[in-house]
Amino acid sequence: SGSVIASSIINAGPAFLDLAKRVKDKTYKGEVSLYGMDKDAIDFAINPKMMDKVPAPLQKELEDLKANIKAGKVVVPKIEF
């Protein structure tokens, strides 16, 4: 249909800021660091132009799920590479 109803969003800022801080503090160890919703590096958003296509109860459920992920009540599987 050519329309995106919702999307995950990657915000690299928190990872870069943390990396810069660790390099500056000389605590960086050259390791893989995973950043998710709990560190505001990942988000999920409904396309504002498609909001009327998503029922209000589902919108609330998605917001509740995001809050529970950030609070650590829901654990999202992470793939380490």
Side-chain angles (χ1 to χ4, degrees), residues 6-47:
S7 183
S8 60
I9 300 162
I10 298 172
N11 175 14
F16 285 123
L17 290 173
D18 184 52
L19 173 63
K21 181 182 182 307
R22 290 190 289 153
V23 168
K24 180 181 176 187
D25 295 344
K26 300 185 188 317
T27 60
Y28 178 68
K29 297 180 180 168
E31 60 199 9
V32 174
S33 299
L34 301 176
Y35 294 80
M37 283 185 162
D38 58 329
K39 295 181 180 174
D40 294 324
I42 303 290
D43 199 0
F44 180 82
I46 298 170
N47 180 344

Side-chain angles (χ1 to χ4, degrees), residues 1 3-6 46-59 62:
S1 73
S3 297
V4 176
I5 197 159
I46 298 170
N47 180 344
K49 293 182 179 179
M50 302 291 286
M51 194 70 78
D52 62 330
K53 305 285 187 218
V54 181
L58 180 55
Q59 291 179 34
L62 289 170

Side-chain angles (χ1 to χ4, degrees), residues 46 54-66:
I46 298 170
V54 181
L58 180 55
Q59 291 179 34
K60 173 143 178 31
E61 187 176 339
L62 289 170
E63 289 302 317
D64 291 346
L65 181 58
K66 284 179 14 178

